[in-house]
Coordinates of all heavy atoms in Angstrom, one line a residue:
V1 N 3.5 1.2 19.9 CA 2.9 1.1 18.5 C 1.8 2.2 18.4 O 1.0 2.4 19.3 CB 2.2 -0.3 18.3 CG1 1.5 -0.3 17.0 CG2 3.2 -1.4 18.5
S2 N 2.0 3.0 17.4 CA 1.1 4.2 17.2 C 0.1 3.8 16.0 O 0.5 3.7 14.9 CB 2.0 5.4 16.8 OG 1.1 6.4 16.4
L3 N -1.1 3.7 16.4 CA -2.2 3.6 15.4 C -2.9 4.9 15.3 O -3.5 5.3 16.3 CB -3.1 2.4 15.8 CG -2.5 1.0 15.7 CD1 -3.4 0.0 16.2 CD2 -2.1 0.7 14.2
C4 N -2.9 5.5 14.1 CA -3.5 6.8 14.0 C -5.0 6.8 14.1 O -5.7 7.7 14.4 CB -3.1 7.4 12.6 SG -1.3 7.8 12.6
S5 N -5.6 5.6 13.6 CA -7.1 5.5 13.7 C -7.5 4.5 14.7 O -6.8 3.5 14.9 CB -7.6 5.1 12.3 OG -7.2 6.0 11.3
A6 N -8.6 4.8 15.4 CA -9.1 3.8 16.3 C -9.6 2.6 15.6 O -10.0 2.6 14.5 CB -10.3 4.4 17.1
V7 N -9.4 1.4 16.2 CA -9.8 0.1 15.6 C -11.3 0.0 15.6 O -12.0 0.1 16.6 CB -9.2 -1.1 16.3 CG1 -9.7 -2.4 15.7 CG2 -7.7 -1.0 16.3
E8 N -11.9 -0.2 14.4 CA -13.4 -0.3 14.3 C -13.8 -1.7 14.5 O -13.1 -2.7 14.1 CB -13.8 0.2 13.0 CG -13.5 1.7 12.7 CD -14.5 2.6 13.4 OE1 -15.5 2.1 13.9 OE2 -14.2 3.8 13.5
S9 N -15.0 -2.0 15.0 CA -15.6 -3.3 15.0 C -15.9 -3.7 13.6 O -16.4 -2.9 12.8 CB -16.8 -3.3 15.9 OG -17.6 -4.4 15.6
P10 N -15.8 -5.0 13.2 CA -16.2 -5.5 11.9 C -17.6 -5.2 11.6 O -18.0 -5.2 10.4 CB -15.9 -7.0 11.9 CG -14.8 -7.1 13.0 CD -15.1 -6.0 14.0
D11 N -18.5 -5.0 12.6 CA -19.9 -4.8 12.4 C -20.1 -3.3 12.1 O -21.2 -2.9 11.7 CB -20.7 -5.1 13.7 CG -20.6 -6.6 14.0 OD1 -20.5 -7.4 13.0 OD2 -20.7 -7.0 15.1
S12 N -19.1 -2.4 12.2 CA -19.3 -1.0 12.0 C -19.5 -0.8 10.5 O -18.8 -1.4 9.7 CB -18.1 -0.2 12.5 OG -18.2 1.1 12.1
D13 N -20.3 0.2 10.1 CA -20.5 0.6 8.7 C -19.2 1.2 8.2 O -19.0 1.2 7.0 CB -21.6 1.6 8.6 CG -23.0 1.0 8.9 OD1 -23.1 -0.3 8.8 OD2 -23.9 1.7 9.2
E14 N -18.3 1.7 9.0 CA -17.1 2.4 8.6 C -15.9 1.4 8.6 O -14.8 1.8 8.3 CB -16.8 3.6 9.5 CG -17.9 4.7 9.4 CD -17.5 5.8 10.3 OE1 -16.4 5.9 10.8 OE2 -18.4 6.7 10.5
F15 N -16.1 0.2 9.0 CA -15.0 -0.8 9.0 C -14.4 -1.0 7.6 O -15.2 -1.3 6.7 CB -15.4 -2.1 9.6 CG -14.3 -3.2 9.7 CD1 -13.3 -3.1 10.6 CD2 -14.3 -4.2 8.7 CE1 -12.3 -4.0 10.6 CE2 -13.3 -5.1 8.8 CZ -12.3 -5.1 9.7
D16 N -13.1 -1.0 7.5 CA -12.4 -1.2 6.2 C -11.1 -2.0 6.5 O -10.3 -1.4 7.2 CB -12.1 0.1 5.5 CG -11.6 -0.1 4.1 OD1 -11.2 -1.3 3.8 OD2 -11.5 0.8 3.3
P17 N -11.0 -3.2 6.0 CA -9.8 -4.0 6.4 C -8.5 -3.5 5.6 O -7.4 -4.0 5.9 CB -10.2 -5.4 5.9 CG -11.2 -5.2 4.8 CD -11.9 -4.0 5.2
V18 N -8.7 -2.6 4.6 CA -7.5 -2.2 3.9 C -6.7 -1.2 4.7 O -7.2 -0.3 5.2 CB -8.0 -1.6 2.5 CG1 -6.7 -1.0 1.8 CG2 -8.7 -2.6 1.6
F19 N -5.4 -1.5 4.8 CA -4.5 -0.7 5.6 C -3.8 0.4 4.8 O -3.5 1.4 5.4 CB -3.4 -1.7 6.2 CG -2.8 -1.2 7.5 CD1 -3.4 -1.4 8.7 CD2 -1.6 -0.6 7.5 CE1 -2.9 -1.0 9.9 CE2 -1.0 -0.1 8.6 CZ -1.7 -0.3 9.8
A20 N -3.5 0.1 3.5 CA -2.8 1.1 2.7 C -3.1 0.9 1.2 O -3.5 -0.2 0.8 CB -1.3 1.0 3.0
N21 N -2.9 2.0 0.5 CA -3.1 1.9 -1.0 C -1.7 1.9 -1.7 O -0.9 2.7 -1.4 CB -3.9 3.1 -1.5 CG -5.4 3.0 -1.0 OD1 -6.0 2.0 -1.0 ND2 -5.9 4.2 -0.6
F22 N -1.6 1.0 -2.6 CA -0.3 0.8 -3.3 C -0.6 1.0 -4.8 O -1.7 0.9 -5.3 CB 0.2 -0.7 -3.2 CG 0.9 -0.9 -1.9 CD1 0.3 -0.8 -0.6 CD2 2.2 -1.4 -1.9 CE1 1.0 -1.0 0.5 CE2 2.9 -1.6 -0.7 CZ 2.3 -1.4 0.5
C23 N 0.5 1.3 -5.5 CA 0.4 1.4 -7.0 C 1.8 1.0 -7.6 O 2.8 0.9 -6.9 CB 0.0 2.7 -7.5 SG 1.1 4.1 -7.0
F24 N 1.8 0.7 -8.9 CA 3.0 0.3 -9.6 C 3.5 1.5 -10.4 O 2.8 2.3 -10.9 CB 2.7 -0.8 -10.7 CG 2.5 -2.2 -10.1 CD1 1.2 -2.6 -9.9 CD2 3.5 -3.0 -9.8 CE1 0.9 -3.9 -9.4 CE2 3.3 -4.3 -9.4 CZ 2.0 -4.7 -9.2
Y25 N 4.8 1.6 -10.4 CA 5.5 2.6 -11.4 C 6.6 1.9 -12.1 O 7.2 0.9 -11.5 CB 5.9 3.8 -10.7 CG 7.0 3.7 -9.7 CD1 8.4 3.7 -10.1 CD2 6.8 3.5 -8.3 CE1 9.4 3.6 -9.2 CE2 7.8 3.3 -7.4 CZ 9.1 3.4 -7.8 OH 10.1 3.3 -6.9
K26 N 7.0 2.3 -13.3 CA 8.1 1.7 -14.0 C 9.4 2.3 -13.5 O 9.5 3.5 -13.2 CB 7.9 2.0 -15.5 CG 6.7 1.3 -16.1 CD 6.8 1.2 -17.6 CE 7.8 0.2 -18.0 NZ 7.9 -0.1 -19.5
D27 N 10.4 1.4 -13.5 CA 11.7 1.8 -12.9 C 12.8 0.8 -13.4 O 12.5 -0.4 -13.7 CB 11.6 1.8 -11.4 CG 12.9 2.3 -10.8 OD1 13.5 3.3 -11.3 OD2 13.3 1.8 -9.7
T28 N 14.0 1.3 -13.5 CA 15.1 0.4 -13.8 C 15.9 0.3 -12.5 O 16.4 1.3 -11.9 CB 16.0 1.0 -14.9 OG1 15.3 1.1 -16.1 CG2 17.2 0.1 -15.1
S29 N 16.1 -0.9 -12.0 CA 16.7 -1.1 -10.7 C 17.7 -2.3 -10.7 O 17.5 -3.2 -11.4 CB 15.6 -1.3 -9.6 OG 16.2 -1.7 -8.4
V30 N 18.7 -2.2 -9.9 CA 19.7 -3.3 -9.8 C 19.0 -4.5 -9.2 O 19.5 -5.6 -9.3 CB 20.9 -2.9 -8.9 CG1 21.7 -1.8 -9.5 CG2 20.4 -2.4 -7.5
F31 N 17.9 -4.3 -8.5 CA 17.2 -5.5 -7.9 C 16.3 -6.2 -8.9 O 15.8 -7.3 -8.6 CB 16.4 -5.1 -6.7 CG 17.2 -4.4 -5.6 CD1 17.1 -3.0 -5.4 CD2 18.2 -5.1 -5.0 CE1 17.9 -2.4 -4.4 CE2 19.0 -4.5 -4.0 CZ 18.8 -3.1 -3.8
I32 N 16.1 -5.6 -10.1 CA 15.3 -6.2 -11.1 C 16.2 -6.8 -12.2 O 15.9 -7.9 -12.7 CB 14.3 -5.2 -11.7 CG1 13.4 -4.6 -10.7 CG2 13.5 -5.8 -12.8 CD1 12.5 -3.5 -11.1
G33 N 17.2 -6.1 -12.6 CA 18.0 -6.5 -13.7 C 18.2 -5.4 -14.7 O 17.9 -4.3 -14.4
S34 N 18.6 -5.8 -15.9 CA 18.8 -4.7 -16.9 C 17.6 -4.2 -17.6 O 17.6 -3.2 -18.2 CB 19.8 -5.3 -17.9 OG 19.3 -6.5 -18.5
D35 N 16.5 -5.0 -17.5 CA 15.3 -4.6 -18.2 C 14.5 -3.6 -17.3 O 14.7 -3.5 -16.1 CB 14.4 -5.8 -18.6 CG 13.9 -6.6 -17.4 OD1 14.5 -6.5 -16.3 OD2 12.8 -7.2 -17.5
S36 N 13.6 -2.8 -17.9 CA 12.8 -1.9 -17.2 C 11.7 -2.7 -16.5 O 11.0 -3.4 -17.1 CB 12.2 -0.9 -18.2 OG 11.4 0.0 -17.5
G37 N 11.7 -2.5 -15.2 CA 10.7 -3.3 -14.4 C 9.6 -2.4 -13.7 O 9.5 -1.2 -14.1
F38 N 8.9 -3.0 -12.8 CA 7.8 -2.4 -12.1 C 8.1 -2.5 -10.6 O 8.5 -3.5 -10.1 CB 6.5 -3.0 -12.4 CG 6.1 -3.0 -13.9 CD1 6.5 -4.0 -14.7 CD2 5.4 -1.9 -14.4 CE1 6.1 -3.9 -16.1 CE2 5.0 -1.8 -15.7 CZ 5.4 -2.9 -16.6
V39 N 7.8 -1.4 -9.9 CA 7.9 -1.3 -8.5 C 6.6 -1.1 -7.9 O 5.8 -0.2 -8.3 CB 8.9 -0.2 -8.0 CG1 9.0 -0.2 -6.5 CG2 10.3 -0.4 -8.6
L40 N 6.2 -1.9 -6.9 CA 4.9 -1.8 -6.2 C 5.3 -1.2 -4.8 O 6.0 -1.8 -4.0 CB 4.3 -3.1 -6.0 CG 2.9 -3.1 -5.2 CD1 1.9 -2.3 -5.9 CD2 2.5 -4.6 -5.0
T41 N 4.7 0.0 -4.5 CA 4.9 0.6 -3.2 C 3.7 1.4 -2.8 O 2.8 1.6 -3.6 CB 6.2 1.6 -3.3 OG1 6.5 2.0 -2.0 CG2 5.8 2.8 -4.2
Y42 N 3.6 1.8 -1.6 CA 2.4 2.5 -1.1 C 2.5 4.0 -1.4 O 3.6 4.6 -1.3 CB 2.2 2.3 0.4 CG 2.8 3.2 1.4 CD1 2.2 4.4 1.7 CD2 4.0 2.9 2.0 CE1 2.8 5.3 2.6 CE2 4.6 3.7 2.9 CZ 4.0 4.9 3.2 OH 4.6 5.8 4.1
Y43 N 1.4 4.6 -1.7 CA 1.3 6.1 -1.9 C 0.4 6.7 -0.8 O 0.5 7.9 -0.6 CB 0.8 6.4 -3.3 CG -0.6 6.0 -3.6 CD1 -1.7 6.7 -3.3 CD2 -0.8 4.7 -4.2 CE1 -3.0 6.3 -3.6 CE2 -2.1 4.3 -4.5 CZ -3.2 5.1 -4.2 OH -4.5 4.7 -4.5
E44 N -0.4 5.9 -0.1 CA -1.3 6.4 0.9 C -1.5 5.4 2.0 O -1.9 4.2 1.7 CB -2.6 6.8 0.3 CG -3.6 7.4 1.2 CD -5.0 7.7 0.5 OE1 -5.4 6.9 -0.4 OE2 -5.6 8.6 0.9
M45 N -1.4 5.8 3.2 CA -1.7 5.0 4.4 C -3.1 5.3 4.9 O -3.4 6.5 5.2 CB -0.7 5.2 5.5 CG 0.7 4.8 5.2 SD 1.0 3.1 5.0 CE 0.8 2.5 6.6

């Protein structure tokens, strides 16, 4: 398992529990159906 950042203690001022940033975009997909839907995926780890 490769973790790019060292694990910080929860007491650290730099501790952040968020692992990745996600956003929604509009898309038409066979997994949604015929209507235009939304996909949630990550843009930044």
